[in-house]
Amino acid sequence: MDITIKPIDKINAKITVPGDKSISHRAVMFGSIACGDTEISGFLTGDDCMSTISCFKKLGIDIEVNGENVVVHGKGLHGLSEPDGLLDVGNSGTTIRLISGLLAGQKFVSRLNGDASIQKRPMNRVIKPLSQMGANIKSTNNGYAPLEITGTELKGTEYHMPVASAQVKSAILLASLYAEGETTVIEDMPSRDHTEIMLNYFGADIKNTGGRITSRPVKELYGKPLTVPGDISSAAFFIAAGLLTPDSEITITNVGINKTRTGIIDALLEMGADISIINERSAGGEPVGDLIVRTSELKAITLSGDIIPRMIDEIPVFVAAALAAEGTTVIKDAQELKVKESNRIATVIEEFGKMGAKITETDDGMIINGKQELKGNTVYSHLDHRIAMSLAVAALNAKGDTVITDADCVGISFPNFYELLDSLRK
Ligand code: S3P
């Protein structure tokens, strides 16, 4: 599907964005290996989370989906059964990496694969630490999917992560539930901690002492009701739209504001953005708030170090803000962008380039001169949801219309994105 985005004059709106993708995946996975029912509200019904549901159904779990309300009838830590055929993770890196940790300690063999993008995403980053725990995982494709996992007994380990990755950390923590002895993951920079929060909420024993995350096995986990907050990664597109469009104000209610995810807000505040967070509260151990965003004159900054993992998924839309800011923005330490759903350094530079932006590629990021006027053009999503949505936001303040080809990939994380974007015009 192609979509045409026309420029917008001003925005005055109050919206909510769909549920958090990371938390929705985890609710299904952890609910499946917990005893009893996990009733989830605010579940993200995007394609990635539906891939997780279909995998766990194949592993013998009964899951009822009623729009954003999902009930997982968990069978306890040892209740999964051998899947009949391949587990298809679709486009979802979170599904394949987390599930690998979980399947490593089962008593059966599982085969995993996904789409063309998944088959280019590095899996050695989970194969290595899981193998150190005794896991038997084979890639038939040189460190990429497809994978074959022969469940086996596992032993606890200590693993110092070479990259900040919540997916790797979570895979190890899931395997630790089946391992003998304790497991410690050491992270130099904090990555999102939804796994630690939700597993503990279900009865696990995981502690973080200054970046050493230690898990001691427990006998069982217990399902509990969960409310998934709105996804800050999805809110980011509307935050940028509100900041960059003249005379605008946009309120986004019920957004997850876990500190391991709010790098985008911190970066924009440092650039001079007018963003306030009100009604701070908590849901299932996760902090939530409402955001009010007003048109702002932004100033360039340098992004590097700890903030990068805290906003890794928001960097493509951050580029749209940097292009409008005054001065030169530098993004460093962001090599991980190269192994996302697309190579996001390359795809951002290529597609924003088609709209007239000149961005310099570096080994670990980009250099972006500000105050660049964008022109509408035909641009390509590269089948990457966040690239499509970042281009759509930039298009709101470009000169002329923009056509995004293969635009329907937004269904991965934000099924109603274009409808919500269109509602800003009313
Ligand atoms: C995610 C972790 C991040 C993020 C991805 C979701 C998660 O990936 O980019 O969209 O749910 O754990 P990495 O662990 O590769 O950094």
Side-chain angles (χ1 to χ4, degrees):
M1 174 190 93
D2 296 350
I3 198 132
T4 301
I5 311 282
K6 293 186 179 303
I8 197 164
D9 292 336
K10 67 184 241 176
I11 302 172
N12 199 319
K14 185 172 181 178
I15 61 165
T16 50
V17 294
D20 187 277
K21 180 157 80 72
S22 294
I23 297 176
S24 295
H25 279 300
R26 286 159 172 80
V28 169
M29 294 183 187
F30 307 169
S32 294
I33 56 164
C35 297
D37 291 353
T38 293
E39 289 171 13
I40 311 166
S41 56
F43 184 81
L44 170 65
T45 54
D47 298 339
D48 267 11
C49 299
M50 297 316 283
S51 293
T52 291
I53 288 188
S54 89
C55 288
F56 279 85
K57 282 187 171 171
K58 278 205 169 164
L59 289 161
I61 303 297
D62 181 16
I63 303 172
E64 294 167 60
V65 183
N66 208 333
E68 293 179 354
N69 295 315
V70 170
V71 183
V72 182
H73 298 286
K75 289 192 173 171
L77 275 178
H78 301 281
L80 300 180
S81 48
E82 178 146 9
D84 181 14
L86 190 82
L87 297 173
D88 182 358
V89 305
N91 188 244
S92 175
T94 305
T95 309
I96 194 165
R97 295 205 178 103
L98 268 63
I99 218 178
S100 293
L102 185 53
L103 294 174
Q106 305 299 321
K107 290 197 163 56
F108 50 78
V109 179
S110 316
R111 289 180 189 81
L112 299 164
N113 205 359
D115 68 7
S117 153
I118 275 292
Q119 292 175 35
K120 288 196 218 132
R121 300 193 59 193
M123 291 302 298
N124 280 337
R125 54 178 60 198
V126 288
I127 294 175
K128 189 171 171 223
L130 294 173
S131 301
Q132 195 174 304
M133 297 175 80
N136 183 349
I137 307 182
K138 284 195 190 72
S139 151
T140 50
N141 178 22
N142 212 11
Y144 299 89
L147 300 180
E148 183 178 291
I149 303 177
T150 306
T152 183
E153 294 199 345
L154 302 176
K155 50 184 189 316
T157 195
E158 180 168 305
Y159 188 72
H160 193 146
M161 290 202 297
V163 285
S165 164
Q167 293 178 355
V168 174
K169 173 177 62 177
S170 302
I172 301 169
L173 290 176
L174 283 168
S176 82
L177 299 172
Y178 296 90
E180 201 189 308
E182 71 179 42
T183 298
T184 299
V185 184
I186 302 165
E187 58 179 11
D188 294 333
M189 291 189 277
S191 64
R192 64 191 68 190
D193 62 356
H194 307 301
T195 294
E196 297 90 306
I197 291 173
M198 199 187 295
L199 282 177
N200 280 340
Y201 180 65
F202 283 1
D205 179 3
I206 302 175
K207 289 192 180 67
N208 183 344
T209 327
R212 286 181 65 88
I213 302 147
T214 298
S215 164
R216 290 184 188 83
V218 290
K219 284 218 160 52
E220 282 296 355
L221 301 175
Y222 297 92
K224 280 197 199 174
L226 269 174
T227 304
V228 181
D231 197 329
I232 188 165
S233 299
S234 298
F237 300 106
F238 290 88
I239 296 174
L243 293 175
L244 302 183
T245 307
D247 303 319
S248 295
E249 179 172 312
I250 180 159
T251 301
I252 313 170
T253 57
N254 191 38
V255 181
I257 48 169
N258 178 317
K259 284 214 159 42
T260 60
R261 298 285 300 281
T262 47
I264 182 67
I265 294 181
D266 295 346
L268 292 168
L269 287 174
E270 195 186 330
M271 293 171 88
D274 184 351
I275 303 173
S276 18
I277 305 180
I278 57 165
N279 299 330
E280 288 191 44
R281 53 207 187 266
S282 152
E286 291 282 353
V288 181
D290 302 336
L291 308 181
I292 304 171
V293 181
R294 297 189 185 89
T295 312
S296 305
E297 284 296 323
L298 301 177
K299 289 209 168 54
I301 56 168
T302 293
L303 273 189
S304 65
D306 278 21
I307 198 165
I308 299 291
R310 295 177 54 238
M311 60 179 290
I312 190 72
D313 291 340
E314 292 70 71
I315 290 180
V317 72
F318 173 80
V319 170
L323 285 166
E326 194 183 318
T328 301
T329 295
V330 182
I331 304 174
K332 298 181 191 170
D333 303 327
Q335 307 85 327
E336 277 294 299
L337 290 174
K338 297 180 187 172
V339 290
K340 294 296 176 188
E341 286 82 331
S342 67
N343 173 344
R344 287 183 176 159
I345 298 183
T347 50
V348 157
I349 292 178
E350 185 179 344
E351 299 309 319
F352 278 98
K354 290 178 186 165
M355 298 177 77
K358 290 197 174 50
I359 301 171
T360 307
E361 179 169 358
T362 60
D363 271 356
D364 63 349
M366 292 168 245
I367 301 172
I368 305 152
N369 289 327
K371 295 279 176 208
Q372 296 196 44
E373 299 225 328
L374 300 179
K375 298 184 290 293
N377 199 352
T378 298
V379 292
Y380 172 47
S381 69
H382 294 260
L383 304 177
D384 181 336
H385 53 135
R386 300 203 200 280
I387 296 296
M389 293 186 276
S390 303
L391 292 165
V393 166
L396 293 177
N397 289 288
K399 212 163 168 226
D401 294 357
T402 299
V403 177
I404 305 174
T405 59
D406 277 329
D408 33 350
C409 56
V410 302
I412 290 291
S413 63
F414 203 152
N416 64 334
F417 174 74
Y418 297 115
E419 290 79 6
L420 203 54
L421 198 68
D422 235 13
S423 76
L424 303 181
R425 299 177 195 279
K426 281 157 202 150

